[in-house]
Amino acid sequence: MAVRQRGDIQPFVVGNDGGHFCEQCPVVVLEHSIFEESAVFGMGFARDIQFVVLGLVDLDAVPEERRHLAFDDQKNPVPLVEFASMGREQTRAKR
């Protein structure tokens, strides 16, 4: 997820039980209030925030020899599977 507060954008990897796959369609259903709680907590309980969930983290994609390492941008990047609605062109247009 990415959280914006007064122009500052912070990325977070969160884990919660606020989502599930639709059993009858190719959609991930997210519970807004649960992700909002994660965003508020991540920003030090600030309430003046906006957030977007960017996709799912595929932990199975992390090589076994790197699973003990923290995620970073170079040696162990977050294996993010972006939601289809987060396409590059659409994302740029919303900025």
Side-chain angles (χ1 to χ4, degrees):
M1 93 178 343
V3 182
R4 179 171 59 188
Q5 180 184 34
R6 293 184 219 118
D8 180 37
I9 299 174
Q10 296 295 321
F12 293 99
V13 174
V14 300
N16 59 43
D17 59 357
H20 66 273
F21 289 96
C22 175
E23 294 180 14
Q24 300 171 347
C25 62
V27 172
V28 175
V29 179
L30 303 176
E31 183 66 40
H32 183 273
S33 63
I34 293 175
F35 281 90
E36 182 177 40
E37 286 176 16
S38 295
V40 167
F41 178 77
M43 296 300 282
F45 297 98
R47 291 285 174 183
D48 58 335
I49 61 168
Q50 297 172 313
F51 68 92
V52 62
V53 179
L54 303 169
L56 303 174
V57 176
D58 183 2
L59 295 176
D60 291 335
V62 179
E64 195 166 329
E65 66 274 6
R66 293 187 181 166
R67 290 185 182 170
H68 68 285
L69 300 173
F71 291 123
D72 66 28
D73 290 336
Q74 295 178 6
K75 293 182 181 179
N76 198 30
V78 175
L80 180 66
V81 179
E82 289 185 2
F83 290 137
S85 63
M86 298 303 297
R88 299 273 183 226
E89 291 303 316
Q90 183 178 354
T91 302
R92 264 188 288 229
K94 288 186 176 183
R95 287 185 197 156

